[in-house]
Amino acid sequence: MAKLNFEVEELTGEIKIPAINPGATAHVKPNPSKDEHNTALGFPGGLVENWEAKAVEKMGELLGKYKSLRVFMDSCVRCGSCTDKCHYFIGTGDPNNMPVARQELMRKVYRRNFNPGGKLLGALAGAEDMSQSVMDQWNSYFHQCSQCRRCSVYCPYGIDTAEVSMAAREIMNSVGIGQKYCNEILGKVTTVGNNLGLQKAALANTLEFLEEDVEEETGHAVKFPLDVKGADVLLIAPSADFFSSPHIEGLTGYAKVFHEAGVSWTISSYASEFANFGMFIGSFDTMQTVAKRIRDAAIELGVKRIIVGECGHAWRVAYSFWHTLIGPWDFLDPKYQTPTHIAEFTLDLIQRGGLKLDKSANDERVVTFHDSCNVARASRMGDMPGGQFEIPRAVIRAVCNNFVEMDENTIREFTYCCGGGGGLLTDELMEIRVKGVSPRAQALHEVMERKGVNTMAAICAICKAQFTKVLPEYGFDMEVVASLHQLVSDAIILGGKPGV
Amino acid sequence: MEGLTGLSIIFIALCYGAFALFLAVFLAKVYGYAVTPSPLKIPTTPAPTTALGVAGRMAGEVLFFTSLFKGNKWTWLGGYLFHLALAAVLLRHLRYFLDPVPLPVAFMTYPGLEPGVWAGVVMVAALGYLFVRRLWVDRVKYISIFADYFVLALIGLIGLTGILMKFFIRTDVEAVKEFTLGLATLHPANIPAEPMFIIHLLLVLALMVYFPFSKLMHLGGIFFSPTRTQVDDCRETRHVNPWAKN
Ligand code: SF4
Ligand code: SF4
């Protein structure tokens, strides 16, 4: 583990609201993207001439395209309700990480250019021209927002700082200021088909290896099919599920569930990525381009339905945006909800008696559940509001005997982000990632101490990658993090009731 | 215009001018909110799955400030008291513009009880509390800008001058009503040349002009916030982005 050049909060089990510490993380900035990463996405390569005016012009364009931005710029009364709700503020004390202050970085430019008071009175009306120093603040603090929407829950006007961050990033991209991590990855997914740049041969290898592995371990020929035309189900999984742990154990879980259900399914090498970083950079067009591969793959393979794996922001894009981006679903079987979350599929199967489970297989675990921010506050599962909370929990209860909740202010709609969402899962932002996980770390520590929890299940590729990387900085064992379907996988008795 | 004093003519023009400006800009802004597209479905979930459910959610936000209540009980208390008191005060003031006075308005001036007047006192107290809170809590102090103090002070002064007129520097209420009713019925009458009333009125006019250019637009914005007004039916109904290229 590389040595950190900042202090890590001590674990007390308590989430404390810090005193403000101006500029505490002003130095944390993303690496700038290379010119070709920007141009590949249709953005200018480097900083454009006259960029201040162009940025303002873009802001004007977005104000006309997004009701959210327009209403949010006017409506904030600076009541302060959101000020202590962001995990990045709690972890850093930097006042610009208070959601309202983050918004104000944009709002001051908005006032200067789109409000007569700001035009007339300038600083007295809280207005400021776009400038290098404003852009520096944007680049820092709009990349210290994981777009988790926790702030929006507590805002009397539903102001969602995620929307503001997305708009800010789109404005930055439009003048040639790109973030390397997101833009580079988007280049890969739009050309190769997944965020890792994993080619078909490598993917086929991995899946084959997994098949052998599972067969060796269980004696059952559980398949991980790739590019099978005419399969019923297209599985779209985050590419991390193909190689890192505990993601891969989750993928194994999906495969076992399909095996037991007796459905024919396939992964697509053309659309081998569930993640859609187009959302993080606020670009509707990029998001649509990325999602389009999934539509094309589904049509090409002739599947009846699309089921998706465990990933938070990707589930938001799929559940909330796909219908708009790549619908209508006239090429799929209308009998099924599109998309279906793997947890919905698994629970339904369990409830219909289609899985034989041995809960005691997970008896050495005391499990708690981390609600992923985007699943919790930007999507749904099942038919009822809040199904996104109940369905994963119902799955856990069906496969584990010991389940306990973390503090109620840190779960369900109040859940804290893992600290790595929103396109921040990159090394140069490590300080903000480590500090941002602190509320979740404290809540986890508390149930470990009091209730003997040793496992935290998650349903998001970013959460899993972030937790396994940053929780050890607090002294946690990275094995505490588990995939939901890893728990399912461990409890399934293969060959129990095939074909239901 | 027969019989109107110069002072009256000036104030009548100011009143109509300020009101027209307020209305025009407010409506233009709200129109802007209404017609700006929502490219995507972004309700903050869990969200209602039906329009009726959304109506319930919105009623909660508008009438009880439910989200603010989740966020901060003390701010909710101050903010809620202020808005409730303001509503009562505004209701009471309708008596200056309506003849005959409807029952709920009349109740606000119920002799001996005077709920409208006490609401005014509560309103000023709540504003004072909100003002102090801005200075008191380090986070809130950091985010407060001049405009935040300004508007609290402005409305506070309007309240104070109102209370002064009620309790200490009595105003000829009949004359005031003649003037205001004249405005409302488009038959302008003379303004009573009472300094406290004129100050009160000037402050109100300033507020009217300031309103649509300021954060007070939350009055309109709250009804158009997509995170609260959208129905969560993303899978069932296809939401179309009118400006999507594909
Ligand atoms: S809760 Fe909403 S209105 Fe209050 S300060 Fe935060 S963004 Fe502004
Ligand atoms: S969306 Fe999440 S990360 Fe961004 S400001 Fe709000 S609470 Fe913080």
Side-chain angles (χ1 to χ4, degrees), chain A residues 17 19-20 63-67 70-72 74-79 81 83-85 89 95-96 98 111 115-116 124 149 152-155 157-158 163 284-285 287-288 316 319 321 323-324 327-328 337-339 344 376-380 382 385-386 388-389 413, chain B residues 29 32-49 61 67-68 70-72 75 133-134 138-140 142-143 145-148 213-215 217-218 221-222 224-228 232-241 243-246:
Chain A
I17 305 306
I20 61 169
L63 286 165
K65 282 171 134 181
Y66 288 86
K67 192 196 294 276
R70 190 171 189 137
V71 170
F72 295 167
D74 275 355
S75 298
C76 173
V77 297
R78 286 168 298 282
C79 69
S81 176
T83 54
D84 54 354
K85 304 302 187 289
F89 173 70
N96 278 332
M98 299 189 290
R111 285 194 202 99
N115 183 305
L124 188 64
R149 317 189 92 199
S152 86
V153 170
Y154 301 98
C155 174
Y157 317 112
E163 290 287 308
F284 182 91
D285 295 343
M287 191 155 62
Q288 192 170 40
R316 176 183 194 186
Y319 173 85
F321 303 162
H323 213 166
T324 302
Q337 287 269 35
T338 303
E344 296 178 303
R377 291 184 285 262
S379 81
R380 172 160 56 101
Q388 66 270 38
F389 311 134
E413 71 170 317
Chain B
K29 284 251 177 189
Y33 302 153
V35 299
T36 306
S38 278
L40 292 163
K41 277 285 180 125
I42 57 166
T44 309
T45 59
T49 54
E61 295 293 357
S67 292
L68 181 58
K70 283 183 195 169
N72 191 310
T75 309
R133 200 185 129 271
R134 283 202 181 274
D138 69 341
R139 299 186 310 278
V140 186
Y142 181 89
I143 57 166
I145 59 177
F146 175 75
D148 300 323
F213 299 105
S214 73
K215 69 172 187 177
M217 279 310 294
H218 68 272
I222 192 170
F224 295 92
S225 177
T227 61
R228 296 292 184 267
D232 171 12
D233 57 358
C234 308
R235 285 193 289 199
E236 293 76 14
T237 313
R238 181 161 187 249
H239 176 82
V240 176
N241 172 8
W243 51 261
K245 290 184 204 129
N246 303 296

Side-chain angles (χ1 to χ4, degrees), chain A residues 86-88 99 102 145-151 161-162:
Chain A
C86 177
H87 51 292
Y88 293 122
R102 200 185 309 285
C145 169
S146 57
Q147 307 174 343
C148 78
R149 317 189 92 199
R150 190 167 196 266
C151 46
T161 316

Side-chain angles (χ1 to χ4, degrees), chain B residues 81-100:
Chain B
L81 273 182
F82 162 70
H83 283 86
L84 216 57
L86 176 67
V89 168
L90 289 177
L91 195 62
R92 177 179 185 272
H93 277 70
L94 278 181
R95 74 182 176 130
Y96 294 109
F97 299 94
L98 299 172
D99 197 39

Side-chain angles (χ1 to χ4, degrees), chain A residues 331-407:
Chain A
F331 53 94
L332 297 171
D333 188 336
K335 211 163 65 205
Y336 307 111
Q337 287 269 35
T338 303
T340 300
H341 194 283
I342 185 70
E344 296 178 303
F345 182 83
T346 301
L347 184 65
D348 178 60
L349 194 63
I350 292 172
Q351 287 172 341
R352 289 190 291 114
L355 280 183
K356 193 159 184 209
L357 299 163
D358 173 18
K359 284 177 152 194
S360 70
N362 283 313
D363 268 357
E364 80 285 7
R365 295 185 184 277
V366 181
V367 180
T368 192
F369 180 65
H370 165 76
D371 291 280
S372 295
C373 55
N374 272 293
V375 176
R377 291 184 285 262
S379 81
R380 172 160 56 101
M381 288 183 202
D383 299 329
M384 303 292 288
Q388 66 270 38
F389 311 134
E390 304 315 326
I391 288 176
R393 283 173 171 78
V395 171
I396 295 178
R397 287 202 178 91
V399 299
C400 302
N401 282 313
N402 316 312
F403 174 71
V404 296
E405 295 280 13
M406 288 181 276
D407 183 278

Side-chain angles (χ1 to χ4, degrees), chain A residues 7-157:
Chain A
E7 267 186 52
V8 178
E9 196 177 284
E10 205 184 315
L11 288 176
T12 58
E14 225 184 299
I15 297 167
K16 281 209 199 73
I17 305 306
I20 61 169
N21 180 7
T25 51
H27 60 280
V28 180
K29 284 185 197 315
N31 288 339
S33 54
K34 296 210 184 88
D35 292 358
E36 65 262 30
H37 298 142
N38 286 1
T39 48
L41 301 176
F43 303 128
L47 193 62
V48 298
E49 237 176 274
N50 207 4
W51 64 270
E52 295 94 337
K54 295 242 167 70
V56 169
E57 197 183 308
K58 185 74 184 181
M59 189 188 294
E61 182 195 319
L62 296 183
L63 286 165
K65 282 171 134 181
Y66 288 86
K67 192 196 294 276
S68 53
L69 191 66
R70 190 171 189 137
V71 170
F72 295 167
M73 282 297 114
D74 275 355
S75 298
C76 173
V77 297
R78 286 168 298 282
C79 69
S81 176
C82 62
T83 54
D84 54 354
K85 304 302 187 289
C86 177
H87 51 292
Y88 293 122
F89 173 70
I90 295 173
T92 66
D94 190 319
N96 278 332
N97 279 327
M98 299 189 290
V100 44
R102 200 185 309 285
Q103 298 159 25
E104 287 288 303
L105 297 177
M106 180 176 287
R107 205 173 274 119
K108 63 188 180 184
V109 181
Y110 167 77
R111 285 194 202 99
R112 182 67 187 167
N113 294 281
F114 301 97
N115 183 305
K119 275 185 196 161
L120 222 65
L121 302 172
L124 188 64
E128 198 174 329
D129 278 312
M130 181 47 101
S131 67
Q132 188 59 52
S133 73
V134 169
M135 185 49 82
D136 284 343
Q137 290 180 314
W138 278 36
N139 202 20
S140 287
Y141 295 108
F142 286 124
H143 290 107
Q144 296 183 29
C145 169
S146 57
Q147 307 174 343
C148 78
R149 317 189 92 199
R150 190 167 196 266
C151 46
S152 86
V153 170
Y154 301 98
C155 174
Y157 317 112

